[in-house]
Amino acid sequence: MTSIGTGYDLSNSVFSPDGRNFQVEYAVKAVENGGTAIGIRCKDGVVLALEKLVTSKLLKPNANKRIATVDRNIGVVNSGLLPDGRHFISRARDEASSWRSTYKAPIPISSLANRMGAYVQAYTLYSSVRPFGITAIVGGWDAETEVSVDGAVGSGPKIGSGGKTPGVKEGGPYLYMIEPSGLYWGYYGAATGKGRQAAKAELEKLKLDPKTHGEGVITLEEGVKEAARIIYVAHEDSKDKDFELEMTWVSAVSGPTKGRHEEVPKALREEAERLAKKALEGEDEEEEGKMEE
Amino acid sequence: MAALSHHHLSSTAPFAFQQAPPQNHSGEPTQHAFYPYTDNGGSTLGISGKTFTVIAGDTRSTSGYNINTRYAPKLYPIGGQGPTHKGSKIVLSVVGFAADGRALQERLDTVVKMYRYQHGCEISVKACAQRLSHILYNKRFFPYYVQAILGGIDEETGEGALYSYDPVGSYEREYCRAAGAAASLIMPFLDNQVNLKNQYEPAAVSGFDKKQLVPQPLERPQVEELVRDAFTSAVERHIEVGDGLQMMFITKEGIEEVYFPLKKD
Amino acid sequence: MNHDPVAWGRPRDDIYGSYNPSYLPPTRQPYSSHPPSHPTTHTQSPVVTGTSVLALKFSTGVVIAADNLASYGSLARFTDVKRLRPFNRNAIVGFGGDVSDMQYIDRLLLSLVVQENYAGGGESVTLMNARNLHTYLSKVLYKRRTDFNPLWNALLVGGLDEHQKPFLAYADLLGTTYSAPSLATGFGAHLAQPIMRKVVPDEAAAAKLSKEEAVKTIRECMKVLFYRDARSMNEYSLAVVDVRGVELKEDNKLEAESWAFADQIKGYGTQTV
C-alpha cells in the first residue's frame, strides 16, 4: 500500500492527490474478508444466497439468520462487517416504512437502492464518520399494477376512464448491489465477499440476460440450484472453514412465494445443496482423472 | 351512521348516566359531538368479615337496552405474579364505564407489581387503597367514570378490609358497600342485614328505650347467602343486572372464586 | 339580550368585533402549514360509514361477515368496499363506522404485519394471535378517545387465541371491549344478535356448533339485516378463520332474496289497517 504513511488515508473528508478516498478503499478490504454473498435475478424471481462462515462450534446451527427482509417483498444480504450490515438493514426498513406512509404503497426496489446508495454515500463525506464496511445485495419483486394502495377498500372503475387496461403489467424481479462508496448498479447476477471472483465467473456462465436469452433465462427454481452450487464453488478456496448455506427467494404474486421475500423451503434447499455437492465431486473426479492421465 | 346508532340510544336511555350529552331543543341541526363516556351497567358489592372480605359483581355488560355479553367480569385480582395474578390477595371491582375500569385496573395492577419489585414485599391493602385514591384523583378533571371497591386483608389485624371510592378518588374504609346500577336497591338491604340498621332488640320496649342491635362481623356462609339474595333481588328489579354472579373471597390463604348463574332475562 | 346561554359572558361581536384567533398556536394537524387561525380540530362525527359487522364462534373457529357498502349519510356511496381485513393466518378484523378511520387502522395493522414478518415467516415463528390483536386495537381506540380524537369505529376481531381456540371480541371508539360467543355491531346488535343467540346461547353451544351451521346462521342474519337496515346492501364479505387460516370471500350475493313479505307488514307509516 503506497498510500500508507502519506497521511491521506486517515480521514474521510480528504482526497489523496490522485483523487482517491482511501477510507472507502479500506472499507472495501473489510468486505473482501466476508463470506461470499450472491444474488441472481431469474425470469420469475430473485434468489439471494450467503456463505455464512461458522465462527464458533458453540453457535446454534441454522439460527442467527443473516439475510433480512425489508418490507415484505425485498431481501437484503451483505458481506463485510456484520454490525454495519445490521445498521444498513435497519435503515432500509425505515426507508421502506416511511415510503409506505407517504405513498401508501410498497417502495420500488430501484427507489430503495437509490435511497440506500445515497445513505451509504453520505458516510464517505465527513471526517466524523467512517464508510460502511459492507457491500449489500438488494433483491426483490416489484408488484404488478394490480396491487392497490394500502388501505384501499374498493376496486375502482372496471371500465372506461380510470378503468384498467387488460394485460398491462409493470414490476418484476430486480437486483441491486450497493458498495461502500455508495455506488450501486442494477445486476442480473451480483456477488461480493471473499469468493466473489469465482462466483462472478460462474454467474457469467448463466443465462440471465433477457435481451440475449429471451425465454431461455433461467427460472427461479434453477436459480436456487445455481445459487447453492455457486456458493459451494466459491467456498472451495477456504475449504478448511465450516459454513452454512443461507438462501432466500422472492417470486411474483403468482409464484411460490406469492410476492413475498422468504427463506427457500428446507426440502428445496437441501436438494440444491445435494446437487451442489455432487457437481463439485464431479469436478474433482474430472480433475483427478486428468491428473491420472 | 346506523352502525353507531346504539350509542345514541344508550345516551338517551332513562337509566343511563345523568350527565348525558346536552340535548338540542333549538330546532337547529343537532351537532354530533363526541362524548367520551358510556355506561355499561351492572352492579358490585363488597362485605368484610372477621377473617375474610368478599367482593361480588354480576357479569352482564350493557349498552342502553342491549346486552353486550353475558360474561364480562367486573372483578380483578390485583398484583400477584404474572398475568394470572398468582398469589394475589387484593381484589378491585369496578362498575360504570368499563373501558375506564379496565384502564384503572391495569394502572393499579402495574403499581402494585412495581411496589413488590422495588420494596421486595407485597403492598398492604391500606397503602394500595390510598394509591388507588391518588390514581383516581390525578384524573380529577377527566375522571375514570367508575365506582370502585377494593378488598383485601388488613395486615395489622388480619381482619377483612374493604374500601369504596367515588370516581374522583374520595374513599372510605367500610364494612360493606354496594355500587353500580343497582346500588340503590342493594345498599339499603346491606344496611339492614350487615349493619343491622333499624333492627332493635326484640324484647325492648318502644320509644327512646328501644335498643339498636350492634352489628357483629358475619360468618362466611351467612355472607355468601346475603350476596346471593342481594343479587337475585336486584336482577328482578333492574334490567342492567343479571346473567351471572361472580364472587371473590379473599382470606389470608388467597383468593377463592365462586360463580353462580343469575337469570338471563 | 342574547338569550343563548352559550353567548353569556362573552364579548359581543357588534362591539368588540369577532373573535381574533391569531394568538392561538398553529394547528397540530400533520403537514399543516396554515398560519394560526383555528385551534386543533378533531373528528366530531363520522362521514363515510359502514354498517353492521356480525360474527359467530363455532367448534374450531370463527365466522365473520359484513356487507360491501359504504354510505355517505343516507346515500349508498361506495358499493365495493371491503370491510373485513385479514391480519395474518390467525386473525381478521371486521370494521363498522367511519371508513377513513378504518383505512387508517388498516395501514397501522399492515405496518404491524410487516414488522412481525422481519422475524421470518416460517411455520415455527409465533405470530400475533387474535387476542393480541384485539388488545392492541382496543388500546389504540381507548388512547384516541382519551385524547378526544376518536377513531370512529366499532370493530370485531375474530380468529384463534394463543391455544389455537376460537376467539371473538368487540372494541369501539370509546375503548369499550367485550367478548361473547356471538357478536354484532351497529344495527346487527338489535336485529342479528337475537337470531345468533338462539343458535349459540353460551360458550358450550358454540363449542358444539359446526362450521356449516355457523355460516348458515350468519347468512340468514345478513338477509334479515338487508331487509331491515336501510344502510345495508345485498352483497357482502364473509370469512371463516380456523386452524387452516383465513378463508375470505368478498363477493357473496344474498341468496333467495324475496320481498314477498313486504305487503304483509302492517302498522308503519301511513298504513293504518
Side-chain angles (χ1 to χ4, degrees):
Chain A
M1 285 288 237
T2 52
S3 58
I4 293 173
T6 61
Y8 293 111
D9 62 340
L10 297 176
S11 176
N12 232 341
S13 57
V14 176
F15 275 119
S16 82
D18 48 351
R20 293 156 66 182
N21 181 341
F22 286 110
Q23 282 296 312
V24 168
E25 291 182 25
Y26 297 158
V28 172
K29 294 281 171 208
V31 175
E32 286 170 3
N33 295 328
T36 314
I38 62 164
I40 307 176
R41 179 190 180 276
C42 310
K43 189 159 60 183
D44 48 352
V46 178
V47 192
L48 299 177
L50 171 70
E51 171 207 25
K52 191 164 70 185
L53 297 167
V54 178
T55 51
S56 163
K57 284 197 186 339
L58 297 172
L59 287 168
K60 186 183 172 200
N62 295 112
N64 302 309
K65 294 292 184 210
R66 284 258 316 275
I67 309 182
T69 305
V70 169
D71 204 307
R72 285 193 290 189
N73 59 323
I74 303 168
V76 176
V77 63
N78 54 265
S79 184
L81 303 181
L82 265 50
D84 287 23
R86 284 277 177 82
H87 179 70
F88 180 93
I89 288 158
S90 164
R91 176 69 188 199
R93 285 171 173 172
D94 289 351
E95 288 289 353
S97 131
S98 96
W99 181 282
R100 263 204 136 96
S101 67
T102 308
Y103 300 106
K104 315 301 181 205
I107 189 170
I109 321 297
S110 59
S111 301
L112 181 69
N114 178 273
R115 294 271 181 104
M116 291 313 293
Y119 185 68
V120 167
Q121 193 273 153
Y123 279 72
T124 68
L125 294 174
Y126 307 100
S127 58
S128 56
V129 292
R130 63 166 176 78
F132 276 77
I134 57 155
T135 288
I137 298 172
V138 176
W141 185 278
D142 273 352
E144 292 91 328
T145 42
E146 270 91 318
V147 173
S148 62
V149 171
D150 291 354
V153 287
S155 46
K158 289 177 182 71
I159 47 161
S161 174
K164 299 195 175 67
T165 317
V168 172
K169 283 193 176 178
E170 289 177 7
Y174 288 94
L175 183 68
Y176 289 86
M177 185 160 77
I178 303 160
E179 294 172 29
S181 60
L183 173 113
Y184 73 95
W185 296 114
Y187 290 87
Y188 289 130
T192 183
K194 197 176 278 178
R196 68 195 175 286
Q197 294 300 356
K200 273 192 245 183
E202 292 298 317
L203 284 168
E204 280 166 15
K205 293 179 202 161
L206 301 178
K207 293 177 182 169
L208 298 175
D209 183 354
K211 289 209 174 64
T212 51
H213 298 104
E215 288 301 300
V217 172
I218 65 167
T219 63
L220 189 56
E221 227 164 285
E222 287 167 337
V224 166
K225 284 166 187 163
E226 292 297 347
R229 188 181 61 80
I230 292 170
I231 291 292
Y232 271 84
V233 168
H235 184 70
E236 283 293 278
D237 294 333
S238 44
K239 247 181 170 175
D240 48 322
K241 282 184 190 135
D242 264 358
F243 83 104
E244 273 176 21
L245 172 66
E246 201 178 316
M247 223 168 13
T248 63
W249 60 351
V250 50
S251 76
V253 178
S254 54
T257 77
K258 303 186 175 71
R260 308 282 175 83
H261 172 254
E262 286 173 358
E263 214 173 300
V264 173
K266 193 159 172 264
L268 182 55
R269 193 196 72 213
E270 283 172 355
E271 169 67 2
E273 275 188 275
R274 191 184 62 79
L275 292 172
K277 283 175 192 161
K278 203 171 135 194
L280 278 187
E281 279 165 21
E283 271 176 28
D284 289 350
E285 274 164 29
E286 274 171 36
E287 278 167 30
E288 278 164 30
K290 278 177 200 161
M291 274 154 71
E292 274 166 31
E293 280 169 23
Chain B
M1 285 182 208
L4 299 149
S5 57
H6 67 281
H7 294 292
H8 306 272
L9 287 178
S10 66
S11 60
T12 53
F15 46 82
F17 277 10
Q18 286 151 18
Q19 291 185 6
Q23 298 297 305
N24 184 355
H25 304 289
S26 63
E28 289 165 33
T30 305
Q31 283 283 309
H32 194 143
F34 177 66
Y35 186 69
Y37 293 114
T38 190
D39 184 4
N40 298 109
S43 247
T44 55
L45 72 76
I47 298 172
S48 67
K50 193 83 190 153
T51 57
F52 69 92
T53 298
V54 65
I55 305 271
D58 70 321
T59 63
R60 177 175 289 182
S61 162
T62 63
S63 291
Y65 290 119
N66 288 114
I67 295 171
N68 295 327
T69 175
R70 299 190 191 282
Y71 189 73
K74 294 175 189 59
L75 274 41
Y76 303 104
I78 294 295
Q81 282 169 339
T84 58
H85 308 276
K86 194 166 166 260
S88 158
K89 281 177 200 167
I90 297 175
V91 174
L92 171 72
S93 73
V94 278
V95 65
F97 175 35
D100 272 352
R102 270 315 276 265
L104 180 65
Q105 177 269 131
E106 282 184 20
R107 291 235 346 232
L108 187 66
D109 189 54
T110 310
V111 160
V112 168
K113 280 178 170 143
M114 287 304 293
Y115 184 101
R116 207 173 74 97
Y117 299 142
Q118 283 164 358
H119 298 88
C121 65
E122 295 295 337
I123 198 170
S124 66
V125 209
K126 194 177 178 179
C128 181
Q130 186 161 79
R131 196 56 207 270
L132 176 57
S133 169
H134 289 153
I135 292 171
L136 288 164
Y137 191 78
N138 271 320
K139 264 172 71 72
R140 172 69 178 77
F141 297 107
F142 184 21
Y144 288 117
Y145 222 137
V146 291
Q147 279 177 280
I149 297 173
L150 189 77
I153 298 293
D154 189 320
E155 257 192 345
E156 289 162 22
T157 62
E159 290 173 10
L162 185 76
Y163 296 85
S164 68
Y165 298 79
D166 80 351
V168 288
S170 170
Y171 80 118
E172 182 179 14
R173 184 169 169 182
E174 296 182 288
Y175 289 112
C176 73
R177 169 60 62 186
S184 57
L185 278 65
I186 298 174
M187 199 62 221
F189 172 71
L190 296 181
D191 282 340
N192 181 248
Q193 293 293 309
V194 180
N195 291 327
L196 305 184
K197 291 285 157 62
N198 295 303
Q199 294 210 56
Y200 301 93
E201 282 181 14
V205 283
S206 59
F208 291 115
D209 296 331
K210 283 209 292 190
K211 278 184 100 177
Q212 164 91 39
L213 290 184
V214 181
Q216 301 292 329
L218 300 172
E219 295 303 315
R220 186 180 149 164
Q222 264 179 291
V223 167
E224 192 169 334
E225 204 175 346
L226 279 179
V227 172
R228 287 185 186 211
D229 286 349
F231 274 92
T232 42
S233 308
V235 167
E236 288 298 321
R237 286 291 186 175
H238 203 115
I239 57 165
E240 290 177 356
V241 183
D243 294 332
L245 170 60
Q246 192 184 22
M247 285 179 273
M248 285 188 179
F249 288 92
I250 311 139
T251 62
K252 63 180 194 310
E253 257 62 65
I255 298 169
E256 185 196 331
E257 190 178 331
V258 179
Y259 176 83
F260 173 72
L262 294 173
K263 283 166 71 172
K264 296 187 197 301
D265 58 5
Chain C
M1 182 188 168
N2 183 351
H3 290 279
D4 180 2
V6 174
W8 295 351
R10 292 179 194 275
R12 286 170 58 179
D13 284 0
D14 54 341
I15 292 173
Y16 298 100
S18 62
Y19 185 72
N20 176 5
S22 61
Y23 78 93
L24 286 168
T27 56
R28 280 186 287 127
Q29 317 286 6
Y31 314 118
S32 170
S33 56
H34 294 298
S37 59
H38 294 288
T40 307
T41 56
H42 295 311
T43 307
Q44 294 295 312
S45 62
V47 181
V48 179
T49 59
T51 183
S52 321
V53 187
L54 312 178
L56 193 60
K57 279 200 231 180
F58 63 95
S59 55
T60 56
V62 175
V63 190
I64 183 168
D67 71 18
N68 295 347
L69 181 68
S71 307
Y72 181 71
S74 58
L75 172 71
R77 181 65 184 82
F78 303 103
T79 55
D80 60 349
V81 170
K82 280 57 178 187
R83 296 196 288 124
L84 299 185
R85 317 298 285 189
F87 179 66
N88 57 23
R89 65 169 181 267
N90 288 326
I92 189 165
V93 190
F95 290 89
D98 192 279
V99 170
S100 68
D101 286 348
M102 169 180 98
Q103 289 174 308
Y104 168 79
I105 294 172
D106 191 44
R107 289 195 291 265
L108 196 67
L109 295 185
L110 182 68
S111 75
L112 222 58
V113 177
V114 168
Q115 283 178 45
E116 192 175 34
N117 187 245
Y118 290 159
E123 289 290 316
S124 61
V125 176
T126 311
L127 293 175
M128 257 175 91
N129 59 50
R131 188 193 306 282
N132 301 146
L133 179 62
H134 175 259
T135 305
Y136 176 84
L137 284 172
S138 64
K139 299 219 160 184
V140 170
L141 291 164
Y142 183 74
K143 171 70 168 61
R144 289 288 295 262
R145 89 96 215 187
T146 303
D147 295 344
F148 272 87
N149 186 199
L151 290 166
W152 214 285
N153 298 106
L155 49 88
L156 299 182
V157 180
L160 302 176
D161 69 6
E162 64 275 24
H163 308 296
Q164 298 286 95
K165 292 275 179 288
F167 176 88
L168 174 60
Y170 168 96
D172 69 16
L173 71 169
L174 293 174
T176 308
T177 57
Y178 43 84
S179 183
S182 66
L183 286 173
T185 72
F187 243 88
H190 298 99
L191 297 176
Q193 188 64 295
I195 300 169
M196 294 192 288
R197 283 203 181 134
K198 268 202 175 125
V199 181
V200 281
D202 50 29
E203 292 288 346
K208 278 192 280 219
L209 190 71
S210 71
K211 173 181 148 186
E212 291 69 29
E213 269 302 308
V215 171
K216 203 183 117 202
T217 308
I218 288 283
R219 288 194 194 282
E220 184 63 30
C221 290
M222 290 308 288
K223 187 146 80 180
V224 171
L225 279 168
F226 175 59
Y227 286 149
R228 286 296 188 175
D229 178 359
R231 307 283 173 269
S232 69
M233 75 177 295
N234 55 358
E235 270 179 49
Y236 61 97
S237 307
L238 186 140
V240 177
V241 192
D242 57 17
V243 280
R244 281 167 299 180
V246 177
E247 185 196 330
L248 170 63
K249 192 169 176 290
E250 291 175 325
D251 55 353
N252 299 271
K253 295 266 190 324
L254 221 57
E255 289 163 9
E257 185 187 322
S258 161
W259 289 91
F261 69 90
D263 63 353
Q264 310 294 317
I265 296 171
K266 290 182 163 58
Y268 291 99
T270 53
Q271 189 181 19
T272 48
V273 257

